[in-house]
Coordinates of all heavy atoms in Angstrom, one line a residue:
M1 N 231.2 -115.7 96.5 CA 230.6 -115.0 95.4 C 231.4 -115.0 94.2 O 230.9 -115.2 93.1 CB 230.2 -113.6 95.9 CG 229.5 -112.8 94.9 SD 227.8 -113.1 94.9 CE 227.2 -111.9 93.8
K2 N 232.7 -114.8 94.4 CA 233.6 -114.7 93.2 C 233.7 -116.0 92.5 O 233.8 -116.0 91.3 CB 235.0 -114.2 93.6 CG 235.1 -112.7 93.9 CD 236.5 -112.3 94.2 CE 236.6 -110.8 94.4 NZ 238.0 -110.4 94.6
S3 N 233.8 -117.1 93.2 CA 234.0 -118.4 92.5 C 232.7 -118.8 91.7 O 232.8 -119.4 90.7 CB 234.3 -119.5 93.6 OG 233.2 -119.6 94.5
S4 N 231.5 -118.5 92.2 CA 230.3 -118.8 91.4 C 230.2 -117.9 90.2 O 229.8 -118.4 89.1 CB 229.1 -118.6 92.3 OG 228.9 -117.3 92.7
T5 N 230.7 -116.7 90.3 CA 230.7 -115.8 89.1 C 231.7 -116.3 88.0 O 231.4 -116.4 86.8 CB 231.0 -114.4 89.5 OG1 230.1 -113.9 90.5 CG2 230.9 -113.4 88.3
L6 N 232.8 -116.7 88.5 CA 233.9 -117.3 87.6 C 233.4 -118.6 87.0 O 233.6 -118.8 85.8 CB 235.2 -117.5 88.4 CG 236.3 -118.0 87.6 CD1 236.7 -117.1 86.4 CD2 237.5 -118.3 88.5
L7 N 232.8 -119.4 87.7 CA 232.2 -120.7 87.2 C 231.2 -120.4 86.1 O 231.2 -121.0 85.1 CB 231.7 -121.5 88.3 CG 231.1 -122.9 87.9 CD1 232.2 -123.7 87.3 CD2 230.5 -123.6 89.1
T8 N 230.3 -119.5 86.4 CA 229.2 -119.1 85.4 C 229.9 -118.6 84.1 O 229.4 -119.0 83.0 CB 228.3 -118.0 86.0 OG1 227.8 -118.5 87.2 CG2 227.2 -117.7 85.0
I9 N 230.9 -117.8 84.2 CA 231.5 -117.2 83.0 C 232.2 -118.4 82.2 O 232.1 -118.4 81.0 CB 232.6 -116.1 83.4 CG1 231.8 -114.9 83.9 CG2 233.5 -115.8 82.2 CD1 232.7 -113.8 84.5
L10 N 232.9 -119.3 82.9 CA 233.5 -120.4 82.2 C 232.5 -121.3 81.5 O 232.8 -121.8 80.4 CB 234.4 -121.2 83.2 CG 235.6 -120.5 83.7 CD1 236.3 -121.3 84.8 CD2 236.6 -120.2 82.6
V11 N 231.4 -121.6 82.2 CA 230.4 -122.4 81.6 C 229.8 -121.7 80.3 O 229.6 -122.4 79.3 CB 229.2 -122.7 82.6 CG1 228.0 -123.4 81.9 CG2 229.8 -123.7 83.7
L12 N 229.5 -120.4 80.4 CA 229.0 -119.7 79.3 C 230.0 -119.7 78.1 O 229.6 -119.8 76.9 CB 228.6 -118.3 79.7 CG 227.3 -118.2 80.6 CD1 227.1 -116.7 81.0 CD2 226.1 -118.7 79.8
Q13 N 231.2 -119.5 78.4 CA 232.3 -119.5 77.4 C 232.4 -120.9 76.7 O 232.5 -121.0 75.5 CB 233.6 -119.1 78.0 CG 234.7 -119.0 77.0 CD 236.0 -118.5 77.6 OE1 236.2 -118.5 78.8 NE2 236.9 -118.1 76.7
A14 N 232.3 -121.9 77.5 CA 232.3 -123.3 76.9 C 231.1 -123.5 76.0 O 231.3 -124.1 74.9 CB 232.3 -124.3 78.0
L15 N 230.0 -123.0 76.4 CA 228.8 -123.2 75.5 C 228.9 -122.4 74.2 O 228.5 -122.9 73.2 CB 227.5 -122.7 76.3 CG 227.0 -123.6 77.4 CD1 225.9 -122.9 78.2 CD2 226.5 -124.9 76.8
L16 N 229.5 -121.2 74.3 CA 229.7 -120.4 73.1 C 230.7 -121.1 72.1 O 230.5 -121.2 70.9 CB 230.2 -119.0 73.4 CG 229.2 -118.1 74.0 CD1 229.9 -116.8 74.5 CD2 228.1 -117.7 73.0
V17 N 231.7 -121.7 72.7 CA 232.7 -122.4 71.8 C 232.1 -123.6 71.2 O 232.3 -123.9 70.0 CB 234.0 -122.7 72.7 CG1 234.9 -123.7 71.9 CG2 234.7 -121.4 73.0
S18 N 231.3 -124.4 72.0 CA 230.7 -125.6 71.4 C 229.7 -125.2 70.3 O 229.6 -125.9 69.3 CB 230.0 -126.4 72.4 OG 230.3 -126.2 73.7
A19 N 228.9 -124.2 70.5 CA 228.0 -123.8 69.5 C 228.7 -123.3 68.2 O 228.2 -123.7 67.1 CB 227.1 -122.7 70.0
A20 N 229.7 -122.6 68.4 CA 230.5 -122.1 67.2 C 231.1 -123.3 66.4 O 231.0 -123.4 65.2 CB 231.6 -121.2 67.6
M21 N 231.6 -124.3 67.1 CA 232.2 -125.5 66.5 C 231.1 -126.3 65.8 O 231.3 -126.8 64.7 CB 233.0 -126.3 67.5 CG 234.3 -125.6 67.9 SD 235.3 -126.6 68.9 CE 235.9 -127.8 67.8
A22 N 230.0 -126.5 66.4 CA 228.9 -127.3 65.9 C 228.3 -126.6 64.6 O 228.0 -127.3 63.7 CB 227.8 -127.5 66.9
K23 N 228.3 -125.3 64.6 CA 227.7 -124.6 63.4 C 228.7 -124.8 62.2 O 228.3 -125.0 61.1 CB 227.6 -123.1 63.7 CG 227.0 -122.3 62.6 CD 226.8 -120.9 62.9 CE 226.2 -120.1 61.7 NZ 226.1 -118.7 62.0
G24 N 230.0 -124.8 62.5 CA 230.9 -125.0 61.4 C 231.1 -126.4 60.9 O 231.6 -126.6 59.8
Q25 N 230.6 -127.4 61.6 CA 230.8 -128.8 61.2 C 229.6 -129.5 60.8 O 229.5 -130.7 60.6 CB 231.4 -129.6 62.4 CG 232.8 -129.1 62.7 CD 233.4 -129.8 63.9 OE1 232.7 -130.6 64.6 NE2 234.6 -129.6 64.2
G26 N 228.5 -128.7 60.6 CA 227.2 -129.3 60.2 C 227.3 -129.9 58.8 O 228.2 -129.6 58.0
P27 N 226.4 -130.8 58.4 CA 226.4 -131.3 57.1 C 226.1 -130.3 56.0 O 225.3 -129.4 56.2 CB 225.3 -132.4 57.1 CG 224.4 -131.9 58.2 CD 225.2 -131.2 59.2
K28 N 226.9 -130.3 54.9 CA 226.7 -129.3 53.9 C 225.7 -129.9 52.8 O 225.8 -131.0 52.4 CB 228.1 -129.1 53.2 CG 229.1 -128.6 54.2 CD 229.5 -127.2 53.9 CE 230.5 -126.8 54.9 NZ 230.7 -125.4 55.0
K29 N 224.8 -129.0 52.4 CA 223.9 -129.4 51.3 C 224.4 -128.7 50.0 O 224.8 -127.6 50.1 CB 222.5 -128.9 51.6 CG 221.9 -129.7 52.8 CD 220.4 -129.3 52.9 CE 219.9 -130.1 54.1 NZ 218.5 -129.8 54.3
A30 N 224.2 -129.4 48.9 CA 224.6 -128.8 47.7 C 223.6 -127.7 47.3 O 222.4 -127.7 47.7 CB 224.6 -129.8 46.6
C31 N 224.1 -126.7 46.6 CA 223.2 -125.6 46.1 C 222.4 -126.1 44.9 O 222.8 -127.0 44.3 CB 224.1 -124.4 45.7 SG 224.9 -123.6 47.1
C32 N 221.3 -125.5 44.7 CA 220.4 -125.9 43.7 C 220.6 -125.1 42.4 O 221.1 -124.0 42.4 CB 218.9 -125.6 44.1 SG 218.4 -126.8 45.4
K33 N 220.2 -125.7 41.3 CA 220.2 -125.0 40.0 C 218.9 -124.2 39.9 O 218.8 -123.1 39.3 CB 220.3 -126.0 38.9 CG 221.6 -126.6 38.8 CD 221.7 -127.6 37.7 CE 223.0 -128.3 37.7 NZ 223.1 -129.4 36.7
E34 N 217.8 -124.7 40.4 CA 216.5 -124.1 40.4 C 215.9 -124.1 41.8 O 215.9 -125.1 42.4 CB 215.5 -124.8 39.4 CG 215.9 -124.8 38.0 CD 214.9 -125.6 37.1 OE1 213.7 -125.6 37.4 OE2 215.4 -126.3 36.2
C35 N 215.3 -122.9 42.2 CA 214.7 -122.9 43.5 C 213.6 -121.9 43.6 O 213.4 -121.1 42.7 CB 215.8 -122.6 44.6 SG 216.6 -121.0 44.3
T36 N 212.9 -121.9 44.7 CA 211.7 -121.0 44.9 C 212.0 -120.2 46.1 O 212.5 -120.8 47.1 CB 210.4 -121.9 45.1 OG1 210.2 -122.6 43.9 CG2 209.2 -121.0 45.3
S37 N 211.7 -118.9 46.1 CA 211.8 -118.1 47.3 C 210.4 -117.7 47.7 O 209.6 -117.3 47.0 CB 212.6 -116.8 46.9 OG 212.5 -115.9 48.0
W38 N 210.2 -117.8 49.0 CA 209.0 -117.3 49.7 C 209.4 -116.6 50.9 O 209.9 -117.1 51.8 CB 208.1 -118.5 50.0 CG 206.8 -118.1 50.5 CD1 205.7 -117.7 49.8 CD2 206.3 -118.1 51.9 NE1 204.7 -117.4 50.7 CE2 205.0 -117.6 51.9 CE3 207.0 -118.4 53.1 CZ2 204.3 -117.5 53.1 CZ3 206.3 -118.3 54.3 CH2 204.9 -117.8 54.3
S39 N 209.1 -115.3 50.9 CA 209.5 -114.4 52.0 C 211.0 -114.5 52.4 O 211.4 -114.5 53.5 CB 208.7 -114.7 53.3 OG 207.3 -114.4 53.0
G40 N 211.8 -114.7 51.4 CA 213.3 -114.7 51.6 C 213.8 -116.0 52.0 O 215.0 -116.2 52.2
V41 N 213.0 -117.1 52.1 CA 213.4 -118.4 52.4 C 213.4 -119.2 51.1 O 212.4 -119.3 50.4 CB 212.5 -119.0 53.5 CG1 213.0 -120.5 53.8 CG2 212.5 -118.2 54.7
Y42 N 214.5 -119.9 50.8 CA 214.6 -120.6 49.6 C 214.5 -122.1 49.8 O 215.0 -122.7 50.8 CB 216.0 -120.3 48.9 CG 216.1 -118.9 48.4 CD1 216.6 -117.9 49.3 CD2 215.7 -118.6 47.2 CE1 216.7 -116.6 48.8 CE2 215.8 -117.3 46.7 CZ 216.3 -116.3 47.5 OH 216.4 -115.0 47.1
T43 N 213.8 -122.8 48.8 CA 213.8 -124.2 48.8 C 214.2 -124.7 47.4 O 214.0 -124.0 46.4 CB 212.3 -124.8 49.1 OG1 211.4 -124.2 48.3 CG2 212.0 -124.5 50.6
C44 N 214.7 -125.9 47.3 CA 215.2 -126.4 46.1 C 214.1 -127.0 45.2 O 213.2 -127.7 45.7 CB 216.3 -127.5 46.4 SG 217.1 -128.1 44.9
D45 N 214.1 -126.7 43.9 CA 213.1 -127.3 43.0 C 213.7 -128.3 42.1 O 213.0 -128.8 41.2 CB 212.5 -126.2 42.1 CG 211.5 -125.3 42.9 OD1 211.0 -125.8 44.0 OD2 211.2 -124.2 42.5
D46 N 215.0 -128.6 42.2 CA 215.6 -129.6 41.3 C 214.9 -131.0 41.5 O 214.6 -131.4 42.6 CB 217.1 -129.8 41.7 CG 217.9 -128.5 41.3 OD1 217.4 -127.6 40.7 OD2 219.1 -128.5 41.7
L47 N 214.7 -131.7 40.3 CA 214.2 -133.0 40.3 C 215.4 -134.0 40.3 O 216.2 -133.9 39.4 CB 213.3 -133.2 39.2 CG 211.9 -132.5 39.3 CD1 211.1 -132.8 38.0 CD2 211.2 -133.1 40.4
L48 N 215.4 -134.9 41.2 CA 216.5 -135.8 41.3 C 216.1 -137.3 41.3 O 214.9 -137.6 41.5 CB 217.3 -135.6 42.7 CG 217.6 -134.2 43.0 CD1 218.0 -134.0 44.4 CD2 218.8 -133.7 42.1
T49 N 217.0 -138.2 40.9 CA 216.6 -139.6 40.9 C 216.4 -140.1 42.3 O 215.6 -141.1 42.6 CB 217.6 -140.5 40.2 OG1 218.9 -140.2 40.8 CG2 217.6 -140.2 38.7
K50 N 217.1 -139.5 43.3 CA 216.8 -139.8 44.7 C 217.3 -138.6 45.5 O 218.2 -137.9 45.1 CB 217.5 -141.1 45.2 CG 219.0 -141.0 45.2 CD 219.6 -142.3 45.7 CE 221.1 -142.2 45.9 NZ 221.7 -143.4 46.5
C51 N 216.8 -138.4 46.7 CA 217.2 -137.3 47.6 C 218.5 -137.7 48.3 O 218.7 -138.9 48.5 CB 216.1 -137.0 48.6 SG 214.7 -136.2 47.9
A52 N 219.2 -136.7 48.7 CA 220.4 -136.9 49.5 C 220.1 -137.4 50.8 O 218.9 -137.2 51.3 CB 221.2 -135.6 49.6
A53 N 221.0 -138.1 51.5 CA 220.7 -138.6 52.8 C 220.4 -137.5 53.8 O 219.8 -137.8 54.8 CB 221.9 -139.5 53.3
T54 N 220.9 -136.3 53.6 CA 220.7 -135.2 54.5 C 219.3 -134.5 54.3 O 219.0 -133.7 55.1 CB 221.8 -134.1 54.3 OG1 221.8 -133.7 53.0 CG2 223.2 -134.7 54.7
C55 N 218.6 -134.9 53.3 CA 217.3 -134.3 53.0 C 216.3 -134.8 54.0 O 216.1 -136.0 54.2 CB 216.8 -134.6 51.6 SG 215.3 -133.8 51.2
K56 N 215.6 -133.9 54.7 CA 214.6 -134.3 55.7 C 213.1 -134.4 55.1 O 212.3 -135.1 55.6 CB 214.6 -133.3 56.8 CG 215.9 -133.4 57.6 CD 215.9 -132.5 58.8 CE 217.1 -132.7 59.6 NZ 218.1 -131.7 59.4
Q57 N 212.9 -133.6 54.0 CA 211.5 -133.6 53.4 C 211.7 -134.0 51.9 O 211.7 -133.1 51.1 CB 210.9 -132.3 53.6 CG 210.5 -131.9 55.0 CD 209.8 -130.6 55.1 OE1 209.6 -129.9 54.1 NE2 209.5 -130.2 56.3
C58 N 211.7 -135.3 51.6 CA 211.9 -135.7 50.3 C 210.5 -136.0 49.7 O 209.7 -136.8 50.3 CB 212.7 -137.0 50.2 SG 213.2 -137.5 48.6
V59 N 210.1 -135.4 48.6 CA 208.8 -135.5 48.0 C 208.8 -136.1 46.7 O 209.6 -135.7 45.8 CB 208.2 -134.0 47.9 CG1 206.8 -134.1 47.3 CG2 208.1 -133.4 49.3
P60 N 208.1 -137.2 46.4 CA 208.0 -137.8 45.1 C 207.2 -137.0 44.1 O 206.2 -136.4 44.5 CB 207.4 -139.2 45.4 CG 206.6 -139.0 46.6 CD 207.3 -138.0 47.4
V61 N 207.7 -136.9 42.9 CA 207.1 -136.2 41.8 C 207.0 -137.0 40.6 O 208.0 -137.6 40.1 CB 207.9 -134.9 41.5 CG1 207.2 -134.1 40.4 CG2 208.1 -134.0 42.7
S62 N 205.7 -137.2 40.1 CA 205.5 -138.0 38.9 C 205.9 -137.2 37.6 O 205.5 -136.0 37.5 CB 204.1 -138.4 38.7 OG 203.7 -139.3 39.8
T63 N 206.8 -137.8 36.8 CA 207.2 -137.1 35.5 C 207.0 -138.1 34.4 O 206.7 -139.3 34.6 CB 208.6 -136.7 35.6 OG1 209.5 -137.8 35.6 CG2 208.9 -135.8 36.8
D64 N 207.2 -137.7 33.2 CA 207.1 -138.6 32.0 C 208.2 -139.6 32.0 O 208.1 -140.6 31.3 CB 207.0 -137.8 30.7 CG 208.2 -136.9 30.5 OD1 208.9 -136.6 31.5 OD2 208.5 -136.5 29.4
K65 N 209.3 -139.3 32.7 CA 210.4 -140.3 32.9 C 210.3 -141.2 34.1 O 211.2 -141.9 34.4 CB 211.7 -139.5 32.9 CG 212.0 -138.8 31.6 CD 213.3 -138.0 31.7 CE 213.5 -137.2 30.4 NZ 214.8 -136.4 30.5
G66 N 209.1 -141.1 34.7 CA 209.0 -141.9 36.0 C 209.0 -141.0 37.2 O 209.0 -139.8 37.1
T67 N 209.1 -141.6 38.3 CA 209.1 -140.9 39.6 C 210.4 -140.3 39.8 O 211.4 -140.9 39.8 CB 208.7 -141.8 40.8 OG1 207.4 -142.3 40.5 CG2 208.6 -141.0 42.1
R68 N 210.4 -139.0 40.1 CA 211.6 -138.2 40.5 C 211.4 -137.7 41.9 O 210.2 -137.8 42.4 CB 212.0 -137.1 39.6 CG 212.3 -137.5 38.2 CD 213.6 -138.2 38.1 NE 214.0 -138.5 36.8 CZ 214.0 -139.8 36.3 NH1 213.6 -140.8 37.0 NH2 214.4 -140.0 35.0
Y69 N 212.4 -137.1 42.6 CA 212.2 -136.6 43.9 C 212.7 -135.2 44.1 O 213.7 -134.8 43.4 CB 213.0 -137.6 44.9 CG 212.4 -139.0 44.8 CD1 213.0 -139.9 44.0 CD2 211.4 -139.3 45.6 CE1 212.4 -141.2 43.9 CE2 210.8 -140.6 45.6 CZ 211.4 -141.5 44.7 OH 210.8 -142.8 44.6
R70 N 212.1 -134.5 44.9 CA 212.4 -133.1 45.2 C 212.6 -132.9 46.7 O 211.8 -133.3 47.5 CB 211.3 -132.2 44.7 CG 211.6 -130.7 44.9 CD 210.4 -129.9 44.2 NE 210.6 -129.9 42.8 CZ 209.7 -129.9 41.9 NH1 208.4 -129.8 42.3 NH2 209.9 -129.9 40.6
C71 N 213.8 -132.4 47.1 CA 214.0 -132.1 48.5 C 213.4 -130.7 48.8 O 213.8 -129.7 48.3 CB 215.6 -132.1 48.8 SG 215.9 -131.9 50.5
R72 N 212.5 -130.7 49.8 CA 211.8 -129.5 50.1 C 212.4 -128.8 51.4 O 211.7 -128.0 52.0 CB 210.3 -129.8 50.3 CG 209.6 -130.3 49.1 CD 209.9 -129.5 47.8 NE 209.4 -128.1 47.9 CZ 209.8 -127.2 47.1 NH1 210.6 -127.4 46.1 NH2 209.3 -126.0 47.2
D73 N 213.6 -129.2 51.8 CA 214.2 -128.6 52.9 C 214.6 -127.1 52.5 O 214.7 -126.8 51.4 CB 215.5 -129.3 53.3 CG 215.3 -130.7 53.9 OD1 214.1 -131.0 54.1 OD2 216.3 -131.4 54.1
F74 N 214.7 -126.3 53.5 CA 215.2 -124.9 53.3 C 216.7 -125.0 52.9 O 217.4 -125.8 53.5 CB 215.0 -124.0 54.5 CG 213.5 -123.9 54.9 CD1 213.1 -124.1 56.1 CD2 212.6 -123.5 53.9 CE1 211.8 -124.0 56.5 CE2 211.3 -123.4 54.2 CZ 210.9 -123.6 55.5
L75 N 217.1 -124.1 52.0 CA 218.5 -124.1 51.6 C 219.3 -123.4 52.8 O 218.8 -122.5 53.4 CB 218.7 -123.3 50.3 CG 218.2 -124.0 49.1 CD1 218.3 -123.1 47.9 CD2 218.9 -125.3 48.8
P76 N 220.5 -123.9 53.0 CA 221.4 -123.3 54.0 C 221.7 -121.8 53.7 O 221.8 -121.5 52.5 CB 222.6 -124.2 54.1 CG 222.6 -124.9 52.8 CD 221.2 -125.0 52.3
E77 N 222.1 -121.1 54.7 CA 222.5 -119.7 54.5 C 223.7 -119.7 53.7 O 224.6 -120.5 53.8 CB 222.8 -119.1 55.9 CG 223.0 -117.6 55.9 CD 223.2 -117.1 57.3 OE1 222.5 -117.6 58.2 OE2 224.0 -116.1 57.5
G78 N 223.8 -118.7 52.8 CA 225.0 -118.6 51.9 C 225.0 -119.5 50.7 O 226.0 -119.7 50.1
C79 N 223.8 -120.1 50.4 CA 223.7 -121.0 49.3 C 222.7 -120.4 48.3 O 221.5 -120.7 48.3 CB 223.2 -122.4 49.7 SG 223.2 -123.6 48.5
P80 N 223.2 -119.5 47.5 CA 222.2 -118.8 46.6 C 221.7 -119.7 45.5 O 222.4 -120.6 45.1 CB 223.1 -117.6 46.0 CG 224.5 -118.2 46.0 CD 224.5 -119.0 47.3
C81 N 220.6 -119.3 45.0 CA 220.0 -120.1 43.8 C 220.7 -119.7 42.6 O 221.1 -118.5 42.4 CB 218.5 -119.8 43.7 SG 217.5 -120.4 45.0
K82 N 220.9 -120.6 41.7 CA 221.6 -120.4 40.4 C 220.5 -120.3 39.3 O 219.8 -121.3 39.2 CB 222.6 -121.4 40.1 CG 223.7 -121.5 41.2 CD 224.7 -122.7 40.9 CE 225.7 -122.8 42.0 NZ 226.5 -123.9 41.8
T83 N 220.5 -119.3 38.6 CA 219.6 -119.2 37.5 C 220.1 -119.8 36.3 O 221.3 -119.7 36.0 CB 219.2 -117.7 37.2 OG1 220.4 -117.0 36.9 CG2 218.5 -117.0 38.3
N84 N 219.3 -120.5 35.5 CA 219.7 -121.2 34.3 C 219.7 -120.3 33.1 O 219.0 -119.4 33.0 CB 218.8 -122.4 34.0 CG 219.0 -123.5 35.0 OD1 220.0 -123.5 35.7 ND2 218.0 -124.4 35.1

């Protein structure tokens, strides 16, 4: 009984360490200059010539200067919107 309990504790500890390391090493997204908040969740409104490789929802937007792109992913935690 003791060895199975110890094994379970070691496995859980390994999972916690791996999750903590994975969270700290994820890809970083740049903060936006303009963004929209809906129920406390922020998305970027910046118009770019192309979306970053880390953007999962890149939306084309027609402008007078041609097609620009807007990344509609949620902003990461701790990345506040900057007001102009």
Side-chain angles (χ1 to χ4, degrees):
M1 178 87 173
K2 284 186 176 183
S3 62
S4 64
T5 304
L6 180 59
L7 180 61
T8 303
I9 291 171
L10 289 174
V11 168
L12 290 174
Q13 185 177 13
L15 288 172
L16 286 172
V17 169
S18 341
M21 290 185 72
K23 183 178 180 183
Q25 294 177 353
K28 302 247 180 194
K29 290 186 182 179
C31 291
C32 290
K33 293 180 183 172
E34 295 179 34
C35 61
T36 301
S37 171
W38 185 78
S39 295
V41 178
Y42 291 92
T43 55
C44 186
D45 286 338
D46 292 353
L47 288 176
L48 309 167
T49 54
K50 68 177 187 173
C51 286
T54 56
C55 181
K56 294 183 175 103
Q57 293 183 359
C58 190
V59 178
V61 178
S62 296
T63 68
D64 57 341
K65 296 179 182 179
T67 302
R68 297 289 186 253
Y69 299 91
R70 181 175 283 149
C71 184
R72 299 311 297 166
D73 292 354
F74 298 128
L75 290 176
E77 189 175 324
C79 184
C81 292
K82 298 175 183 175
T83 56
N84 291 340

